[in-house]
Amino acid sequence: MNIILLGPPGAGKGTQAKRLTEKYHIPQVSTGDMLREALKEGSPLGLEAKKYMDQGGLVPDEVVIGLVKERIQKPDAGNGYMLDGFPRTSGQAKALDKILEQLGQKIDHVVSIEVPSSELLGRLTGRRTCRACGAGFHLMYDPPKKEAICDKCGGELYQRSDDNESTVKSRLETYEAQTKPLIEYYQNQGKLRRINGVGSMNEILARIQAVLE
Ligand code: AP5
Ligand code: MG
């Protein structure tokens, strides 16, 4: 099963992708995580991407398209994958359609997680992530048992550098202008599954599972 998780910054794409990975045993392919990983390694690609990420803009299409094309052909993606944060522009969506045609694959469901923008800022500024295992937390909605320590592996929790108020504002504007039009793109392909993204994380997981099964 090949799935796209679509939604604004803070909608819960990463949170739900991690839960769905456990259920369906297909990998989460997050372009944001891949770019942050490249930056951590100090690669030229990571350093180039940082310029865009820090401003709340988008990394050029050809860069992320290349990353995804390579990633979905790895052995662990043989039974499917969950694209989280890709595609994000109509250029990326069209390129993905072409790549999938070449590979003889298709997207089964595009899950659009819908959360009012008034709720997103608080979700993002309160987010904390484990440096070691990538687990996600929220200071209010999903707090770690011990301050700044990951419940799962004991790693250190950090705040993403783009989760400050001014970058979040730019990221939300970028989403409205460049990514939101993909809702119509996939609606026209008959693949769009709209999910109310307000509620507990488990409620939202159940809503997503209901449309996938
Ligand atoms: P990326 O890392 O993809 O960031 P994003 O799209 O802005 O999305 P987020 O990861 O911020 O949100 P999420 O939906 O995953 O929310 P989460 O589950 O963590 O991209 C970062 C940057 O990389 C981009 O700005 C761009 O520059 C670049 N980039 C990436 N992909 C690109 C592409 N394809 N093209 C070009 N550039 C690209 O949840 C957020 C918080 O809310 C967490 O703390 C969580 O615990 C909490 N939460 C989750 N669900 C709930 C709930 N139901 N109730 C209460 N709290 C909740
Ligand atoms: Mg994410």
Side-chain angles (χ1 to χ4, degrees), residues 19-148:
R19 288 167 154 77
L20 292 164
T21 287
E22 285 170 18
K23 292 254 175 228
Y24 296 102
H25 308 287
I26 56 175
Q28 169 192 13
V29 175
S30 158
T31 40
D33 286 351
M34 288 159 89
L35 295 168
R36 279 183 291 275
E37 200 54 41
L39 177 63
K40 205 163 104 186
E41 288 163 3
S43 76
L45 186 149
L47 294 169
E48 175 68 14
K50 182 175 164 50
K51 292 189 220 156
Y52 301 96
M53 296 169 83
D54 279 351
Q55 289 176 7
L58 294 180
V59 174
D61 281 356
E62 58 275 19
V63 174
V64 285
I65 291 166
L67 285 176
V68 170
K69 185 173 180 183
E70 200 183 307
R71 179 65 187 88
I72 62 174
Q73 294 184 70
K74 295 229 162 117
D76 68 334
N79 286 328
Y81 41 81
M82 235 173 312
L83 298 177
D84 160 5
F86 181 92
R88 248 174 154 98
T89 63
S90 64
Q92 291 177 22
K94 287 178 192 148
L96 177 65
D97 283 345
K98 272 206 190 118
I99 293 168
L100 294 177
E101 202 186 311
Q102 285 164 8
L103 297 175
Q105 297 181 0
K106 65 176 177 59
I107 294 297
D108 298 294
H109 305 279
V110 177
V111 177
S112 169
I113 307 180
E114 305 187 338
V115 176
S117 43
S118 54
E119 203 163 309
L120 298 171
L121 176 65
R123 284 199 189 183
L124 291 167
T125 51
R127 170 167 53 191
R128 296 294 182 270
T129 308
C130 177
R131 252 188 227 292
C133 73
F137 295 88
H138 190 281
L139 294 181
M140 267 169 66
Y141 308 131
D142 184 17
K145 292 193 183 83
K146 278 194 212 154
E147 200 186 322

Side-chain angles (χ1 to χ4, degrees), residues 7-13 52-58 88 113-125 127 160 162-181:
K13 302 181 295 294
Y52 301 96
M53 296 169 83
D54 279 351
Q55 289 176 7
L58 294 180
R88 248 174 154 98
I113 307 180
E114 305 187 338
V115 176
S117 43
S118 54
E119 203 163 309
L120 298 171
L121 176 65
R123 284 199 189 183
L124 291 167
T125 51
R127 170 167 53 191
R160 265 170 55 176
D162 60 347
D163 278 347
N164 61 78
E165 206 170 324
S166 105
T167 312
V168 165
K169 200 165 163 263
S170 309
R171 286 162 62 200
L172 293 172
E173 285 167 6
T174 302
Y175 170 80
E176 287 292 324
Q178 307 211 50
T179 309
K180 209 174 176 184

